[in-house]
Amino acid sequence: MPRKCTTEGASRTRRVVIASVAGNMMEWYDFFLYTTAAALVLGTVFFPSGENPLLGTIAALAGHAVGFAARPIGGLIFGHIGDRKGRKAALMGTLSLMGATTFCMGLLPAYSTAGLLSPILLVLLRVLQGAAAGGEWGGGVLIITENVPAERRGFLASFSSCGMGLGFVLSALALWLAEQVSGDGFLAWGWRLPFLASAVIFVVGLYIRRNLGETDSFEADAAQPAEAPAHSPLREVLRRHPRQVLFAMALRFADSGASYIFMSFSLVYGAYVGISSSVLLWAGIVGMLVDSAMMVVFGRLSDKVGRRPVYLGGAIGMLLWAAPFFLLMDTGRPAAVWVAFIVGHIAIAAMIGVQPSYFSELFSTSTRYSGMALGHELSSAIAGGLSPVVATALLAATGHFLPVALLTMGMAVVTLAALVFFAHVPKGRGRAEPVDGRDPESAEDEDRTPVA
């Protein structure tokens, strides 16, 4: 059971939070690196398309989507390991797989050298990256949520999302630095440097995670013979918590779709309207830094007023900001571009900052890793994986941002509908019951219904 706020417990909580943030940051650096590079350079290197550069970019972003398609598979594999063998074992596996594949991407020959073999290998490595990312999110969250006091879970768990945000900042900064160092050689070899640097990140991440213990909730659950790990956590999730999985999927549409439109497609659109890559990268970096800071604010707020109201505010903000985001980018002024990114990321932060605590409270310990991974990653594959590809195709077909804005608004509507009609109705001031190995509603109720 998560420990109370003693001096020893506070010290351990700090170590757990720092380890989760650092591990997440390093692993998501690898995953976001492809996404950012795909919008800037990978289309030219691996998918040459003649006179229309948008076609090469669409192909590179299709590789982005393929990686997302692999995320649910990775989530199920590592979720099974995490629920059966422990959270730490799963996280060591995701880190090793992610580090190896990212480093290998930096060694791939260009299309001009190896022909079709080059993009085929790139896509295969992206599939492995996606599988690793699919198992990472749930484990990184559970390191915190299953170790901290219930009354501070929203605040402390939001730091795991900060690790994701900082991973994007690190990847964008690495590409910007590589562009400055290599200059005209960026297209030929400079883009490889951030990918090869993942070897160093892997070693640091491995050291951090090897010193992590197992979570309190998992150990407490494993110590009870009646609560032995399910032989098939996935089957148990689908039997006991199907509505929770669907609810989690719907919640992810607004933030997952908008995140990758803002982080990835915005680089494509910015280049299309004549904004320099440096302005776009720095706007993304600043926006994500604000995002990471606001995640903690919104996580803390969710401990006070509840998960649902905060999440609802973020989804409404995304609905209202979709069109103004592109209108500001159309001005081409750096200050306007920065405002577009910062405000958009604040809306995203209201959702992502609350997700770790909200999602962990939907499932019981024995199936929590699998349930969270299934709901989170299925939606990521649909909304996050396809949105930049569809958005770029819409831009190529129409030459205007309006269809992309409508796409973003539509994804926000899916999340709003889930929150209004199928929301988890928590107790008290809006917080769910402690994550202690039992279902939040009742230890005896195997078919609890918190989302109906």
Side-chain angles (χ1 to χ4, degrees):
M1 184 178 294
R3 301 175 184 184
K4 301 297 182 181
C5 293
T6 63
T7 302
E8 179 185 356
S11 176
R12 182 174 182 271
T13 295
R14 281 194 298 271
R15 292 196 302 272
V16 165
V17 171
I18 291 172
S20 178
V21 171
N24 274 348
M25 179 178 68
M26 292 169 185
E27 186 147 355
W28 287 99
Y29 161 86
D30 287 356
F31 188 74
F32 287 140
L33 188 59
Y34 179 96
T35 300
T36 309
L40 294 176
V41 68
L42 296 186
T44 303
V45 175
F46 293 98
F47 304 94
S49 56
E51 296 180 358
N52 189 348
L54 277 180
L55 296 180
T57 302
I58 290 172
L61 289 174
H64 161 90
V66 168
F68 269 79
R71 283 178 62 165
I73 298 172
L76 294 178
I77 293 171
F78 289 107
H80 181 89
I81 295 171
D83 283 330
R84 293 276 299 166
K85 304 297 183 182
R87 314 323 192 191
K88 180 178 177 179
L91 286 173
M92 293 295 286
T94 64
L95 179 65
S96 300
L97 182 59
M98 182 71 82
T101 54
T102 305
F103 181 78
C104 288
M105 281 182 177
L107 300 176
L108 286 179
Y111 183 90
S112 59
T113 302
L116 286 176
L117 180 63
S118 175
I120 290 172
L121 290 175
L122 179 68
V123 171
L124 288 175
L125 289 174
R126 182 59 177 172
V127 168
L128 295 177
Q129 263 196 339
E136 167 65 24
W137 183 82
V141 165
L142 294 181
I143 286 176
I144 297 179
T145 60
E146 293 187 340
N147 275 317
V148 301
E151 65 273 11
R152 302 183 70 205
R153 187 183 301 129
F155 170 62
L156 294 173
S158 66
F159 281 95
S160 64
S161 292
C162 287
M164 293 177 63
L166 293 174
F168 171 80
V169 170
L170 193 61
S171 67
L173 187 59
L175 280 169
W176 179 81
L177 287 172
E179 197 171 21
Q180 310 313 304
V181 170
S182 57
D184 292 340
F186 180 70
L187 191 63
W189 59 270
W191 67 269
R192 299 179 184 274
L193 299 177
F195 286 85
L196 298 177
S198 66
V200 177
I201 291 175
F202 165 71
V203 172
V204 175
L206 192 64
Y207 172 79
I208 291 172
R209 288 197 166 163
R210 285 189 66 180
N211 288 281
L212 275 179
E214 193 49 78
T215 69
D216 292 341
S217 292
F218 183 85
E219 288 185 335
D221 211 50
Q224 302 176 40
E227 298 292 338
H231 177 71
S232 175
L234 173 60
R235 184 171 60 191
E236 285 299 297
V237 165
L238 296 178
R239 183 177 71 86
R240 298 174 60 184
H241 311 304
R243 285 169 292 182
Q244 286 87 328
V245 171
L246 292 175
F247 180 56
M249 287 179 63
L251 289 189
R252 283 283 288 152
F253 261 74
D255 82 89
S256 184
S259 291
Y260 288 96
I261 284 178
F262 286 177
M263 288 190 301
S264 184
F265 171 75
S266 62
L267 302 180
V268 178
Y269 187 75
Y272 181 78
V273 298
I275 303 172
S276 73
S277 60
S278 291
V279 170
L280 293 169
L281 282 174
W282 276 104
I285 288 170
V286 172
M288 190 58 79
L289 285 173
V290 172
D291 190 342
S292 298
M294 292 303 298
M295 286 177 194
V296 179
V297 174
F298 288 122
R300 183 71 183 95
L301 183 62
S302 77
D303 284 330
K304 298 292 186 180
V305 303
R307 321 295 186 214
R308 180 174 174 269
V310 179
Y311 213 107
L312 193 64
I316 292 172
M318 185 54 57
L319 179 69
L320 297 177
W321 193 247
F325 176 86
F326 292 105
L327 288 171
L328 287 170
M329 289 194 70
D330 273 352
T331 68
R333 296 197 296 269
V337 174
W338 280 41
V339 170
F341 275 74
I342 289 171
V343 176
H345 279 292
I346 290 174
I348 291 173
M351 295 178 278
I352 295 182
V354 178
Q355 261 175 30
S357 52
Y358 206 171
F359 282 29
S360 67
E361 289 160 355
L362 294 176
F363 304 96
S364 53
T365 301
S366 61
T367 58
R368 185 171 292 130
Y369 203 139
S370 297
M372 290 173 62
L374 187 62
H376 189 274
E377 303 309 334
L378 281 174
S379 191
S380 293
I382 299 169
L386 294 178
S387 59
V389 185
V390 173
T392 306
L394 289 171
L395 178 64
T398 67
H400 200 275
F401 72 80
L402 183 59
V404 181
L406 292 175
L407 171 67
T408 308
M409 295 168 70
M411 290 185 287
V413 168
V414 172
T415 296
L416 285 170
L419 287 164
V420 171
F421 298 109
F422 300 100
H424 177 186
V425 181
K427 298 179 180 179
R429 298 189 61 188
R431 299 185 298 273
E433 294 297 292
V435 176
D436 61 358
R438 300 176 301 164
D439 288 339
E441 292 297 312
S442 169
E444 294 78 29
D445 182 8
E446 289 196 344
D447 188 26
R448 64 188 179 89
T449 56
V451 300

